[in-house]
Amino acid sequence: MINYFNEEIKFDLTGKRVVSKWLRITALEKGFKIGQLNYIFCDDPYLLRINRDFLGHDHCTDIITFDYSKDYELQYGKNSISGDVYISIDTVRRNARIYGEGFERELHRVIVHGLLHLIGFDDITPELQTEMRVQEENALVRLSSML
């Protein structure tokens, strides 16, 4: 089950059904199924509080992902992914301008980025960042064919 919520921001994700289908297909391609996945769209101050409270970081990011897959394994089975993905719409908008991307494309990139983290991809080194970008781009190509 994929859910979409807002915290301290008015935002409505366009095409939720298509995005949800895309995320399920992306997970299945990697050998996973989606258990309980929550996307929470928020503003910079809200994400900054989460960063401070849970990660001890004093800076804002575009996304924070909390993995609950082990907690839900009995309910949804092995190779299922569950988690909360917090996305700052403020930062996504800013990054879209910085990188010369449309807002929707940048948002979709961040949405799938959170899913890829839950699947097991990381971006802590330059090599891993490159692989993450390849995975994001491949997923975005699929989404563009679904829209």
Coordinates of all heavy atoms in Angstrom, one line a residue, residues 65-120:
T65 N 14.6 9.2 4.4 CA 13.9 7.9 4.2 C 14.1 7.1 5.5 O 15.2 6.9 6.0 CB 14.4 7.1 3.0 OG1 14.3 8.0 1.9 CG2 13.7 5.8 2.8
F66 N 13.0 6.6 6.1 CA 13.1 5.8 7.2 C 12.6 4.4 6.8 O 11.5 4.2 6.3 CB 12.2 6.3 8.4 CG 12.7 7.5 9.0 CD1 12.1 8.8 8.6 CD2 13.7 7.5 10.0 CE1 12.6 10.0 9.1 CE2 14.1 8.7 10.5 CZ 13.6 9.9 10.1
D67 N 13.5 3.4 7.0 CA 13.2 2.0 6.5 C 12.6 1.2 7.7 O 13.2 1.0 8.7 CB 14.5 1.4 6.1 CG 14.3 0.0 5.4 OD1 13.2 -0.5 5.5 OD2 15.3 -0.5 4.8
Y68 N 11.4 0.7 7.5 CA 10.7 -0.1 8.4 C 10.4 -1.5 7.9 O 9.6 -2.3 8.4 CB 9.3 0.5 8.8 CG 9.4 1.9 9.3 CD1 8.6 2.9 8.8 CD2 10.3 2.3 10.3 CE1 8.6 4.2 9.3 CE2 10.4 3.6 10.7 CZ 9.5 4.5 10.2 OH 9.6 5.8 10.7
S69 N 11.2 -1.9 6.9 CA 11.0 -3.2 6.2 C 11.0 -4.4 7.2 O 10.2 -5.3 7.1 CB 12.0 -3.4 5.1 OG 11.8 -2.3 4.1
K70 N 12.0 -4.4 8.1 CA 12.1 -5.5 9.0 C 11.0 -5.5 10.0 O 10.5 -6.6 10.3 CB 13.5 -5.4 9.8 CG 14.7 -5.5 9.0 CD 14.8 -6.9 8.5 CE 16.1 -7.1 7.6 NZ 16.0 -8.1 6.7
D71 N 10.5 -4.4 10.4 CA 9.3 -4.3 11.3 C 8.0 -4.9 10.6 O 7.2 -5.4 11.3 CB 9.0 -2.8 11.7 CG 10.2 -2.2 12.4 OD1 11.0 -3.0 13.0 OD2 10.3 -1.0 12.4
Y72 N 7.9 -4.8 9.3 CA 6.7 -5.2 8.6 C 6.9 -6.6 7.9 O 6.0 -7.0 7.2 CB 6.3 -4.2 7.6 CG 5.6 -3.0 8.2 CD1 6.3 -1.8 8.6 CD2 4.2 -3.0 8.5 CE1 5.7 -0.8 9.2 CE2 3.6 -1.9 9.0 CZ 4.3 -0.8 9.4 OH 3.7 0.3 10.0
E73 N 8.1 -7.2 8.1 CA 8.4 -8.4 7.3 C 7.4 -9.5 7.6 O 6.9 -10.2 6.7 CB 9.8 -8.9 7.6 CG 10.3 -9.9 6.7 CD 11.8 -10.2 6.9 OE1 12.6 -9.6 6.3 OE2 12.0 -11.1 7.7
L74 N 7.0 -9.7 8.8 CA 6.0 -10.7 9.1 C 4.6 -10.4 8.5 O 4.0 -11.4 8.0 CB 5.8 -10.8 10.6 CG 6.9 -11.5 11.4 CD1 6.7 -11.5 12.9 CD2 7.2 -12.9 10.9
Q75 N 4.3 -9.2 8.4 CA 3.0 -8.8 7.8 C 3.0 -8.9 6.3 O 2.0 -9.4 5.7 CB 2.6 -7.4 8.2 CG 1.2 -7.0 7.8 CD 0.8 -5.6 8.3 OE1 1.5 -5.0 9.1 NE2 -0.3 -5.1 7.9
Y76 N 4.1 -8.4 5.6 CA 4.1 -8.4 4.2 C 5.0 -9.4 3.5 O 5.0 -9.5 2.3 CB 4.5 -7.0 3.8 CG 3.5 -5.9 4.2 CD1 3.8 -5.0 5.2 CD2 2.3 -5.8 3.5 CE1 2.8 -4.1 5.5 CE2 1.3 -4.9 3.9 CZ 1.6 -4.0 4.9 OH 0.7 -3.1 5.3
G77 N 5.8 -10.1 4.3 CA 6.7 -11.1 3.8 C 8.1 -10.6 3.4 O 8.4 -9.5 3.4
K78 N 8.9 -11.6 3.1 CA 10.3 -11.3 2.8 C 10.3 -10.5 1.4 O 9.4 -10.7 0.6 CB 11.2 -12.6 2.7 CG 11.4 -13.2 4.0 CD 12.6 -14.2 3.9 CE 12.9 -14.8 5.2 NZ 13.7 -14.0 6.0
N79 N 11.4 -9.8 1.3 CA 11.5 -9.0 0.1 C 10.4 -7.9 -0.1 O 10.1 -7.5 -1.2 CB 11.7 -9.8 -1.2 CG 13.0 -10.6 -1.3 OD1 14.0 -10.2 -0.6 ND2 13.0 -11.7 -2.0
S80 N 9.8 -7.6 1.0 CA 8.9 -6.5 1.0 C 9.6 -5.2 1.5 O 10.4 -5.4 2.4 CB 7.6 -6.8 1.7 OG 7.9 -6.9 3.1
I81 N 9.2 -4.1 1.0 CA 9.8 -2.8 1.6 C 8.7 -2.0 2.2 O 7.6 -1.9 1.6 CB 10.6 -2.1 0.5 CG1 9.7 -1.8 -0.7 CG2 11.8 -2.8 0.1 CD1 10.3 -1.0 -1.8
S82 N 9.0 -1.4 3.3 CA 8.1 -0.5 4.0 C 8.9 0.6 4.6 O 10.0 0.4 5.0 CB 7.4 -1.3 5.1 OG 6.6 -2.3 4.6
G83 N 8.3 1.8 4.6 CA 9.0 2.9 5.2 C 8.2 4.2 5.0 O 7.1 4.3 4.4
D84 N 8.8 5.2 5.6 CA 8.3 6.6 5.5 C 9.3 7.4 4.7 O 10.5 7.4 5.0 CB 8.1 7.3 6.9 CG 6.9 6.7 7.6 OD1 6.0 6.1 7.0 OD2 6.9 6.8 8.9
V85 N 8.9 8.1 3.7 CA 9.8 9.0 2.9 C 9.3 10.4 3.0 O 8.2 10.7 2.5 CB 9.7 8.5 1.4 CG1 10.6 9.4 0.6 CG2 10.1 7.0 1.3
Y86 N 10.1 11.2 3.6 CA 9.7 12.6 3.8 C 10.4 13.4 2.7 O 11.6 13.3 2.5 CB 10.2 13.2 5.2 CG 9.5 12.6 6.3 CD1 9.8 11.4 6.9 CD2 8.4 13.3 6.9 CE1 9.1 10.8 7.9 CE2 7.7 12.8 7.9 CZ 8.0 11.6 8.5 OH 7.3 11.0 9.5
I87 N 9.6 14.3 2.0 CA 10.2 15.0 0.9 C 9.8 16.5 1.1 O 8.6 16.9 1.3 CB 9.6 14.6 -0.4 CG1 10.0 13.1 -0.7 CG2 10.0 15.5 -1.6 CD1 9.4 12.5 -1.9
S88 N 10.8 17.4 1.1 CA 10.6 18.8 1.2 C 10.3 19.4 -0.2 O 11.2 19.4 -1.1 CB 11.8 19.5 1.7 OG 11.7 20.9 1.6
I89 N 9.1 19.8 -0.4 CA 8.6 20.4 -1.6 C 9.4 21.7 -1.9 O 9.8 22.0 -3.0 CB 7.1 20.6 -1.6 CG1 6.4 19.3 -1.6 CG2 6.7 21.4 -2.9 CD1 6.7 18.3 -2.7
D90 N 9.7 22.4 -0.8 CA 10.5 23.7 -1.0 C 11.9 23.3 -1.6 O 12.3 24.0 -2.6 CB 10.8 24.3 0.4 CG 9.6 24.8 1.1 OD1 8.5 25.0 0.4 OD2 9.6 24.9 2.3
T91 N 12.6 22.3 -1.1 CA 13.9 22.0 -1.7 C 13.8 21.4 -3.1 O 14.6 21.7 -3.9 CB 14.6 21.0 -0.7 OG1 14.8 21.7 0.6 CG2 16.0 20.7 -1.2
V92 N 12.8 20.6 -3.3 CA 12.6 20.0 -4.7 C 12.4 21.2 -5.7 O 13.0 21.1 -6.7 CB 11.4 19.0 -4.7 CG1 11.1 18.6 -6.1 CG2 11.7 17.8 -3.9
R93 N 11.6 22.1 -5.3 CA 11.4 23.3 -6.2 C 12.7 24.0 -6.5 O 13.0 24.4 -7.6 CB 10.3 24.2 -5.6 CG 8.9 23.9 -5.9 CD 7.9 25.0 -5.7 NE 6.6 24.6 -6.1 CZ 5.7 24.1 -5.3 NH1 5.9 23.9 -4.0 NH2 4.5 23.7 -5.8
R94 N 13.4 24.3 -5.4 CA 14.7 25.0 -5.5 C 15.7 24.2 -6.4 O 16.3 24.7 -7.3 CB 15.3 25.2 -4.1 CG 16.3 26.3 -4.0 CD 16.6 26.7 -2.6 NE 16.6 25.7 -1.6 CZ 15.6 25.5 -0.7 NH1 14.5 26.3 -0.7 NH2 15.7 24.5 0.2
N95 N 15.8 22.9 -6.1 CA 16.7 22.0 -6.9 C 16.3 22.0 -8.4 O 17.1 21.9 -9.3 CB 16.8 20.7 -6.3 CG 17.6 20.7 -5.0 OD1 18.3 21.6 -4.7 ND2 17.5 19.6 -4.3
A96 N 15.0 21.9 -8.7 CA 14.5 21.9 -10.0 C 15.0 23.1 -10.8 O 15.5 23.0 -11.9 CB 13.0 21.8 -10.1
R97 N 15.0 24.3 -10.1 CA 15.5 25.5 -10.8 C 17.0 25.5 -10.9 O 17.5 25.8 -12.0 CB 15.1 26.8 -9.9 CG 13.7 27.2 -10.1 CD 13.4 28.5 -9.5 NE 13.7 28.6 -8.1 CZ 13.0 28.3 -7.0 NH1 11.7 27.9 -7.3 NH2 13.4 28.4 -5.8
I98 N 17.7 25.0 -9.9 CA 19.2 24.9 -9.9 C 19.6 24.0 -11.1 O 20.6 24.3 -11.8 CB 19.7 24.5 -8.6 CG1 19.5 25.6 -7.5 CG2 21.2 24.1 -8.7 CD1 19.8 25.1 -6.1
Y99 N 19.0 22.8 -11.2 CA 19.4 21.8 -12.2 C 18.8 22.0 -13.5 O 19.0 21.2 -14.4 CB 19.2 20.4 -11.6 CG 19.9 20.2 -10.3 CD1 19.3 19.7 -9.2 CD2 21.3 20.4 -10.2 CE1 19.9 19.5 -8.0 CE2 22.0 20.2 -9.0 CZ 21.3 19.7 -7.9 OH 22.0 19.5 -6.8
G100 N 17.9 23.0 -13.7 CA 17.2 23.2 -14.9 C 16.3 22.1 -15.3 O 16.1 21.8 -16.5
E101 N 15.7 21.5 -14.3 CA 14.7 20.4 -14.5 C 13.3 21.0 -14.3 O 13.1 22.0 -13.5 CB 14.9 19.3 -13.5 CG 16.1 18.5 -13.8 CD 15.9 17.5 -14.9 OE1 14.8 17.4 -15.5 OE2 16.9 16.9 -15.3
G102 N 12.3 20.4 -14.8 CA 10.9 20.7 -14.5 C 10.6 20.2 -13.1 O 11.2 19.3 -12.6
F103 N 9.7 20.9 -12.4 CA 9.4 20.5 -11.0 C 8.9 19.1 -10.9 O 9.4 18.3 -10.1 CB 8.3 21.5 -10.4 CG 7.8 21.0 -9.1 CD1 8.5 21.0 -7.9 CD2 6.5 20.4 -9.1 CE1 8.0 20.5 -6.7 CE2 6.0 19.9 -7.9 CZ 6.8 20.0 -6.7
E104 N 8.0 18.7 -11.8 CA 7.5 17.3 -11.8 C 8.6 16.3 -11.9 O 8.6 15.3 -11.2 CB 6.4 17.1 -12.9 CG 5.1 17.9 -12.6 CD 4.3 17.3 -11.6 OE1 4.2 16.1 -11.4 OE2 3.6 18.1 -10.8
R105 N 9.5 16.5 -12.9 CA 10.5 15.5 -13.1 C 11.5 15.4 -11.9 O 11.8 14.3 -11.5 CB 11.3 15.9 -14.4 CG 12.5 14.9 -14.6 CD 13.1 15.2 -16.0 NE 14.3 14.4 -16.2 CZ 14.4 13.1 -16.6 NH1 13.3 12.5 -16.8 NH2 15.5 12.6 -16.8
E106 N 11.8 16.6 -11.3 CA 12.6 16.5 -10.1 C 11.9 15.9 -8.9 O 12.5 15.1 -8.2 CB 13.1 18.0 -9.7 CG 14.0 18.0 -8.6 CD 15.4 17.4 -8.8 OE1 15.8 17.1 -10.0 OE2 16.1 17.1 -7.8
L107 N 10.6 16.1 -8.8 CA 9.9 15.5 -7.7 C 9.8 14.0 -8.0 O 10.1 13.2 -7.0 CB 8.5 16.0 -7.7 CG 7.5 15.4 -6.7 CD1 8.1 15.6 -5.2 CD2 6.1 16.0 -6.8
H108 N 9.6 13.5 -9.2 CA 9.6 12.1 -9.5 C 10.9 11.5 -9.2 O 11.0 10.3 -8.7 CB 9.1 11.8 -10.9 CG 7.7 12.2 -11.1 ND1 7.2 12.7 -12.3 CD2 6.6 12.1 -10.3 CE1 5.9 12.9 -12.2 NE2 5.5 12.5 -11.0
R109 N 12.0 12.2 -9.5 CA 13.4 11.7 -9.2 C 13.5 11.5 -7.7 O 14.0 10.4 -7.3 CB 14.4 12.7 -9.7 CG 15.9 12.2 -9.4 CD 16.9 13.3 -9.8 NE 16.8 13.7 -11.2 CZ 17.2 13.0 -12.2 NH1 17.7 11.9 -12.1 NH2 17.0 13.5 -13.4
V110 N 13.1 12.4 -6.9 CA 13.2 12.3 -5.5 C 12.3 11.2 -4.9 O 12.7 10.4 -4.0 CB 12.9 13.7 -4.8 CG1 13.0 13.5 -3.3 CG2 14.0 14.7 -5.2
I111 N 11.1 11.1 -5.5 CA 10.2 10.0 -5.0 C 10.9 8.6 -5.3 O 10.9 7.8 -4.4 CB 8.9 10.1 -5.8 CG1 8.1 11.3 -5.2 CG2 8.1 8.8 -5.6 CD1 6.8 11.6 -6.0
V112 N 11.4 8.4 -6.5 CA 12.0 7.1 -6.7 C 13.3 6.9 -6.0 O 13.7 5.8 -5.6 CB 12.2 6.8 -8.3 CG1 13.4 7.6 -8.8 CG2 12.2 5.4 -8.5
H113 N 14.0 8.0 -5.7 CA 15.2 8.0 -4.9 C 14.9 7.4 -3.5 O 15.7 6.5 -3.1 CB 15.8 9.4 -4.7 CG 17.1 9.5 -4.0 ND1 18.3 9.5 -4.7 CD2 17.4 9.6 -2.7 CE1 19.3 9.6 -3.8 NE2 18.7 9.7 -2.6
G114 N 13.9 7.8 -2.9 CA 13.5 7.2 -1.6 C 13.2 5.7 -1.7 O 13.6 4.9 -0.9
L115 N 12.5 5.3 -2.8 CA 12.2 3.9 -3.0 C 13.5 3.1 -3.2 O 13.7 2.0 -2.6 CB 11.3 3.7 -4.2 CG 11.0 2.2 -4.6 CD1 10.0 1.6 -3.6 CD2 10.5 2.2 -6.0
L116 N 14.4 3.7 -4.0 CA 15.7 3.0 -4.2 C 16.5 2.8 -2.9 O 17.2 1.8 -2.7 CB 16.5 3.7 -5.3 CG 15.9 3.7 -6.7 CD1 16.6 4.7 -7.6 CD2 16.0 2.3 -7.3
H117 N 16.5 3.8 -2.0 CA 17.1 3.6 -0.7 C 16.5 2.4 0.0 O 17.2 1.6 0.6 CB 17.0 4.9 0.1 CG 18.0 5.9 -0.1 ND1 19.4 5.6 0.0 CD2 17.9 7.2 -0.4 CE1 20.1 6.7 -0.2 NE2 19.2 7.7 -0.5
L118 N 15.2 2.3 0.0 CA 14.6 1.2 0.7 C 14.9 -0.2 0.1 O 15.0 -1.2 0.7 CB 13.0 1.4 0.7 CG 12.6 2.6 1.6 CD1 11.1 2.8 1.3 CD2 12.8 2.3 3.0
I119 N 15.1 -0.2 -1.2 CA 15.5 -1.4 -1.9 C 16.9 -1.8 -1.6 O 17.3 -2.9 -1.6 CB 15.3 -1.2 -3.5 CG1 13.8 -1.2 -3.8 CG2 16.1 -2.2 -4.3 CD1 13.5 -0.8 -5.2
G120 N 17.8 -0.8 -1.2 CA 19.1 -1.1 -0.8 C 20.2 -0.3 -1.5 O 21.4 -0.4 -1.3

